[in-house]
């Protein structure tokens, strides 16, 4: 018997049975095919694909741009959360709702909108071009797209913590002679650290796998602006299944390590709280 | 990883939630004089936050609408009503109409089993349900090609029986189901866990059968969380690009969803058409955000804390 205790509630077998069957059909069997295909390869073949210069360049760009984007969102996400929780200004409710736009907007739409805005003749791109900075169709363009896609995470993890912060703690700090900056850096900031790290990791993980918003703005030049998901796509279009599978598995391993890290972080922050 | 939901959990009753929020507001405004920032700093911070949002959200959003109407309203309408666009719209609606209800049923079943019962391997099951969130959309499409593609595991068998899944509608539906799989379950599990078992147990002891218990007790308790999950699931189903792109084959009028149609128009340098069709999807995003904000504002205390993973 799977159940740990007796209960009078009905439907355990039915609901768990359906859950497992559906999970198996939609998620586990398809992912199993990926693993099966991986074991068709020899270890040297697998490692050879992953260590090819083009693959390494794609991994470096994807993880580098995702890290820069998530870092930008770490700083500005905290700022946005702070402003939305602490201050009153016109249109605040609207802006608060719009922060979630990257979740709700289809990535392809985000991709072409960012490309149009940051292209050399675009609304924003022309100002950067005047300064000699190439935004779209460069690694910077990839970073812009990955920043967009990770924008809501830090805001949404930090906001509830800031809301729950007791005003008394800050008043105590102030009455003990701390100035505003000391109160922030020594009292408020440390309580935000777990939420900030969680938001950062979520934004980073999301950005690593992102495809739709990046393909338009990146220009997709191999070795220069080609991200990992696009490389998988390219291998697939050339019917190089093994190449696609090896790179996909390499990426999955990294994603799972990230997921583990996020769960550890949340466990740690729950224990602290 | 689920999209972090902003919610004000804690208080079980509406009235409790409202008073505690009011109390919080009163206190913070009184304390504001002691611990707030000077006006200059305040406006500088607001300005910096808005500039950042402007660069990444508002300007790109503005570009969509300005470009969509660049050639006038007639061209805009023509872009939306041409046969390929209508076919793409139909396929998008069809994929969502299959994927969302199935994932809704799955979400209710999974959350019932996980939240109301204690069994071995529960945490492992939770991790498995989260899997699609940590898989790149492109990989989500790739796994179905490996199963059903011409050189896939079951490819030869499918060809013998003349069944097409990849580069056809079933593949698109499957890929959509895969990427939207956890949304409803992820919203309902913490919500049902926070509500406990007492109400359902009372219903059963008073003689209700399983269906009556679910319909009269469980469903009314979870309906806002359910709607919240469904609206997020639907937005992803209609907007999915990467996974669908891998399995679609981009056959105009047959296997193009709206996001894929946008890509084709854009790659053909029909920018105005691409943005016109995009504006439909932006409208969908706005409706999603509107309903989401409304549920958070009105029923936030009935939603479960589901920030983070």
């Amino acid at each position: 018997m799977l159940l740990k205790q007796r209960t009078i509630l009905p439907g355990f077998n039915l609901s768990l049975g359906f859950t497992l069957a559906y999970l198996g059909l939609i998620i586990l069997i398809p992912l199993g095919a990926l693993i099966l295909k991986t074991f068709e390869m020899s270890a040297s073949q697998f490692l050879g694909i992953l260590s090819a210069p083009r693959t390494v360049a794609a991994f470096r760009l994807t993880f580098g741009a995702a890290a820069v984007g998530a870092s930008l969102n770490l700083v500005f996400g905290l700022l946005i959360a702070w402003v939305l929780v602490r201050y009153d200004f016109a249109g605040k409710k609207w802006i608060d709702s719009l922060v979630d736009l990257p979740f709700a907007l289809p990535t392809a739409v985000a991709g072409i909108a960012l490309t149009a805005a940051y292209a050399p003749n675009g609304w924003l791109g022309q100002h950067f071009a005047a300064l000699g900075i190439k935004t779209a169709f460069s690694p910077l363009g990839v970073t812009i797209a990955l920043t967009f896609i990770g924008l809501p995470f830090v805001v949404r993890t930090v906001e509830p913590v800031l809301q729950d912060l007791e005003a008394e703690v800050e008043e105590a700090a102030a009455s003990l002679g701390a100035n505003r900056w000391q109160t922030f850096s020594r009292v408020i900031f440390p309580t935000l650290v777990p939420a900030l790290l969680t938001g950062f990791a979520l934004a980073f993980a999301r950005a690593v796998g992102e495809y739709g918003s990046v393909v338009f703005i990146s220009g997709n030049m191999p070795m220069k602006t080609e991200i990992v998901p696009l490389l998988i796509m390219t291998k697939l279009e050339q019917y190089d299944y093994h190449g696609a599978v090896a790179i996909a598995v390499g990426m999955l391993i990294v994603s799972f390590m990230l997921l583990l890290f996020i769960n550890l972080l949340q466990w740690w922050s729950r224990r602290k709280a | 990883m689920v999209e972090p939901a902003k919610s004000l959990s804690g208080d079980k009753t509406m009235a409790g939630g409202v008073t505690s929020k009011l109390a919080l507001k009163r206190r913070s405004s009184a304390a504001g004089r002691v611990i707030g920032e000077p006006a200059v700093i305040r406006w500088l911070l607001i300005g910096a936050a808005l500039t950042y949002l402007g660069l990444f959200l508002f300007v790109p959003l503005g570009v969509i609408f300005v470009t969509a109407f660049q050639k006038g309203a007639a061209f805009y309408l023509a872009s939306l009503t041409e046969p390929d666009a209508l076919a793409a719209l139909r396929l998008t609606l069809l994929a969502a109409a299959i994927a969302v209800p199935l994932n809704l049923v799955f979400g209710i079943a999974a959350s019932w089993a996980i939240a109301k019962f204690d069994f071995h391997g529960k945490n492992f099951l939770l991790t498995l349900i989260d899997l699609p969130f940590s898989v790149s959309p492109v990989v989500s499409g790739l796994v179905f090609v490996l199963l059903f593609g011409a050189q896939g595991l079951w490819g030869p068998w499918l060809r013998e029986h003349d069944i097409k899944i990849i580069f056809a509608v079933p593949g698109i539906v499957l890929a959509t189901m895969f990427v939207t799989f956890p949304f409803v379950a992820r919203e309902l599990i913490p919500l049902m866990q926070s509500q406990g078992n007492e109400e359902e147990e009372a219903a059963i002891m008073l003689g209700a059968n399983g269906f009556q218990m679910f319909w009269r007790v469980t469903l009314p308790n979870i309906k806002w969380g359910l709607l919240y999950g469904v609206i997020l699931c639907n937005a992803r189903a209609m907007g999915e690009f990467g996974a669908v792109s891998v399995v679609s084959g981009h056959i105009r009028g047959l296997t193009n969803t709206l996001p894929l149609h946008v890509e084709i128009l854009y790659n053909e340098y029909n920018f105005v058409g691409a943005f016109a069709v995009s504006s439909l999807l932006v409208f969908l995003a706005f409706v999603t955000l509107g309903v989401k904000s409304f549920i958070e504002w009105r029923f936030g205390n009935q939603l479960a804390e589901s920030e983070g993973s």
Side-chain angles (χ1 to χ4, degrees), chain A residues 22 73 87 97 100 118 180 209, chain B residues 35 37 52 103 136 292-293:
Chain A
Y22 190 72
N73 282 325
Y87 305 147
S97 299
D100 280 332
Y118 284 94
R180 200 59 196 139
Chain B
I35 56 171
E37 285 80 38
Y52 188 74
N103 287 333
S136 167
K292 186 170 173 290
S293 298

Side-chain angles (χ1 to χ4, degrees), chain A residues 92-129:
Chain A
K92 181 170 119 165
K93 279 227 167 78
W94 288 96
I95 288 166
D96 194 18
S97 299
L98 270 179
V99 165
D100 280 332
L101 190 72
F103 288 152
L105 193 67
T107 52
V109 175
I112 64 169
L114 287 170
T115 313
Y118 284 94
N121 57 356
W123 289 5
L124 295 167
Q126 56 182 315
H127 302 295
F128 285 100

Side-chain angles (χ1 to χ4, degrees), chain B residues 28-261:
Chain B
S28 61
S29 63
R33 284 183 291 270
V34 192
I35 56 171
E37 285 80 38
V40 184
I41 305 266
R42 219 159 51 218
W43 288 110
L44 272 177
L45 292 178
I46 293 175
L50 291 182
T51 308
Y52 188 74
L53 289 172
L55 283 175
F56 289 101
L57 287 185
F58 305 146
V59 170
L61 209 55
V63 168
I64 297 175
F65 287 103
V66 171
T67 319
F69 287 101
Q70 220 165 45
K71 292 190 184 167
F75 189 92
Y76 177 82
L77 281 176
S79 305
L80 294 185
T81 51
E82 59 146 333
D84 286 346
L86 289 177
L89 176 63
R90 263 196 301 273
L91 183 55
T92 295
L93 292 176
L94 174 76
I98 297 173
V100 175
L102 279 173
N103 287 333
L104 166 72
V105 173
F106 161 76
I108 291 175
S111 53
W112 179 258
I114 288 172
K116 302 291 179 182
F117 301 94
D118 212 7
F119 56 92
H120 296 286
K122 190 153 130 175
N123 283 327
F124 184 60
L125 182 60
L126 273 171
T127 312
L128 290 181
I129 290 175
D130 268 347
L131 267 182
F133 278 140
S134 57
V135 174
S136 167
V138 172
V139 179
S140 310
L142 167 73
V143 292
F144 288 104
V145 174
L146 295 177
L147 272 185
F148 304 116
Q151 299 172 49
L153 211 54
W154 299 328
W157 188 89
L158 289 170
R159 203 172 38 235
E160 259 171 46
H161 293 78
D162 206 25
I163 305 171
K164 251 183 117 48
I165 292 184
I166 298 303
F167 304 149
V169 175
I172 290 173
V173 174
L174 279 173
T176 307
M177 282 164 74
F178 186 101
V179 290
T180 58
F181 179 86
F183 279 90
V184 179
R186 233 23 196 114
E187 197 54 47
L188 287 186
I189 291 168
L191 175 63
M192 279 202 189
Q193 274 173 336
S194 72
Q195 287 172 344
N197 294 358
E198 288 84 1
E199 289 185 41
E200 276 92 356
E201 281 165 357
I204 295 292
M205 277 192 279
L206 290 171
N209 62 33
F211 178 76
Q212 288 172 323
M213 172 213 67
F214 177 75
W215 198 251
R216 304 251 179 98
V217 178
T218 310
L219 200 59
N221 275 338
I222 60 167
K223 61 182 181 222
W224 294 108
L226 195 67
L227 179 62
Y228 195 88
V230 165
I231 199 93
L232 293 180
C233 184
N234 182 63
R236 185 69 196 268
M238 292 191 172
E240 179 52 29
F241 178 70
V244 171
S245 178
V246 176
V247 295
S248 122
H250 301 89
I251 308 164
R252 287 188 93 140
L254 284 178
T255 64
N256 267 344
T257 61
L258 275 184
L260 295 175
H261 188 61

Side-chain angles (χ1 to χ4, degrees), chain A residues 16-72:
Chain A
L16 188 68
F18 180 80
T19 300
L20 293 178
Y22 190 72
L23 177 78
L25 275 177
I26 302 298
I27 307 296
L28 298 184
I29 293 178
L31 283 177
L34 189 71
I35 294 167
L36 215 66
K37 205 80 183 167
T38 311
F39 284 107
E40 277 180 14
M41 282 177 271
S42 67
S44 62
Q45 200 184 353
F46 182 79
L47 292 175
I49 295 166
L50 283 183
S51 58
R54 191 171 167 187
T55 318
V56 174
F59 267 94
R60 191 178 297 149
L61 171 69
T62 305
F63 284 90
V68 173
S71 308
L72 271 173

